[in-house]
Amino acid sequence: MAREDKVKHLIRMTQEGCLGLLREELGKDEGVRNVMLKGHFGSSGDTVLHYAARHGHLEILKYLVEELGTGVELINRDYKRPLHEAASLGHQECLRYLISQGARVDCLKKADWTPLMMACTRKNLGVIKDLIESGASLTLKNKDGWNGFHIACREGTPEIIQYLLEVSPGIWDVESKIKRTPLHTAAMHGRFEAAELLLERCGYKPDAKDSCGVTPFMDAVQNGHIEIARLLLERHREGHAGTIETLLTLGADVHAKDVKGRSALHMACAGQHAKCIRVLLDAGLTEAADNSGMLARQLLKNPEALKLLEGITDTK
C-alpha cells in the first residue's frame, strides 16, 4: 500500500476508533507515523487529534497525547482546536481529558468562537458545566458580539438558560454589536419557553430596539411566532403602540388573523392596551368576531379603551 493510501486508511481508522490497528501501523512505520502526527488533512486542515476528539474516541486521544507526545493545542485552518471539537459534539470525557492535559478553555477559533460558545449551540448541559467549572468565561464575545448566553437563548433549552443565569446572574444584560439582546434572539427563533424564562428572570425593557429599530415583539410577529408576541404583550402591560405603527409602515397586514380567527384587535383588547387599539382602528382595522363568536370588545375592562369601540359595529 502506498504511503498516501496508508495515511488515508489510518485516518479512517482514527475516525472509527480502531486503536489497535492504529497503534500497530504507527509502531512499525516511522515515516507514516511522522506524517500522521504532523499532517493536516482534508479541506479544514484537521489533525488526527481533531478527528479523535470530534468522534469521541478517548482512548485514541490518550494514545496520541501520552504515548506519542501530540500537543493538545494543535489548530486546523479555522484555528479550531480539539477542545472545540469535543465541546461542539458533546464528548464530555474527551473534553475533560483535554482540559486535564492543559488545553486552554477559552481558546479562540475563527470568528472568535470559544469552546463554551460551541457547547451552547447544543443541549449538553454537562459539557457546559464542565467548561464553566474549569474557568471558561461566559462574557467573552465572538466577532458579532454574541456571547454564550446569546447562543443558548437561540437554541432555547430552559435548563441551560436557567443554569447560566444561576452562575452569572447579570449575564442577561448584554447586546450584540447591532444591539440585539438575548430576548431578541429567543423571540426571532420562536423559543417560547426561553422567552418566558427571560421575561421572568431578567429586566429587559419593553420595546428595546436593536440598531435597525427592531424590537423582540417585532421579531416574533415578523417570523410568525404569535404566542411569543402575545406573551410580550401580556408581560409588558403598557403595550407596543409604537411597534405596531412600525410594523404597519413595513407593510404588515392589519387584517391578519390567527388560526382561531383572532385579530390584532383581540390581542390589544385582551391586554387592555388603549393606545394599541387606537393605532389599529386608525389603520382601518374594524371589529369582527373570532371563530368562537367572541368580539374584541368583550375582552375589555379598561373604560378608556371601551370608549374607543363605541359605535363600531360587528363586521363579521
Side-chain angles (χ1 to χ4, degrees), residues 33-86:
R33 182 168 67 248
N34 288 336
V35 171
M36 285 287 289
L37 298 183
K38 297 177 182 179
H40 293 264
F41 310 102
S43 59
S44 297
D46 293 319
T47 69
V48 286
L49 210 65
H50 285 85
Y51 290 129
R54 182 179 303 151
H55 292 277
H57 299 312
L58 177 61
E59 293 306 315
I60 291 182
L61 276 181
K62 289 182 176 180
Y63 167 65
L64 293 170
V65 173
E66 296 176 21
E67 296 187 37
L68 301 184
T70 308
V72 295
E73 293 290 347
L74 295 176
I75 61 173
N76 67 10
R77 291 194 182 98
D78 292 328
Y79 299 98
K80 185 186 287 186
R81 291 163 172 79
L83 190 64
H84 285 101
E85 299 284 4

Side-chain angles (χ1 to χ4, degrees), residues 263 265-267 269-270 287-289 294-300 309:
S263 69
L265 193 59
H266 282 89
M267 294 173 64
C269 288
E287 189 177 27
M294 174 76 73
L295 290 169
R297 72 181 66 194
Q298 293 175 265
L299 302 171
L300 277 174
L309 292 176

Side-chain angles (χ1 to χ4, degrees), residues 213-255:
V214 176
T215 67
F217 179 78
M218 291 170 68
D219 270 329
V221 172
Q222 289 175 331
N223 288 280
H225 306 308
I226 301 302
E227 291 304 317
I228 293 180
R230 184 175 291 112
L231 174 68
L232 289 164
L233 280 174
E234 290 172 353
R235 296 300 174 89
H236 294 155
R237 302 301 297 178
E238 60 272 40
H240 295 259
T243 300
I244 292 171
E245 289 174 335
T246 302
L247 285 169
L248 292 172
T249 63
L250 293 174
D253 181 9
V254 72
H255 301 289

Side-chain angles (χ1 to χ4, degrees), residues 5 10 28 48 63 96 100 106 113 120 196 220-221 233 254 259-260 269 271 283 313:
D5 290 336
L10 292 177
K28 66 184 182 182
V48 286
Y63 167 65
R96 289 175 174 174
S100 76
D106 282 332
W113 280 66
C120 287
E196 191 173 40
V221 172
L233 280 174
V254 72
V259 294
K260 295 183 179 180
C269 288
T313 58

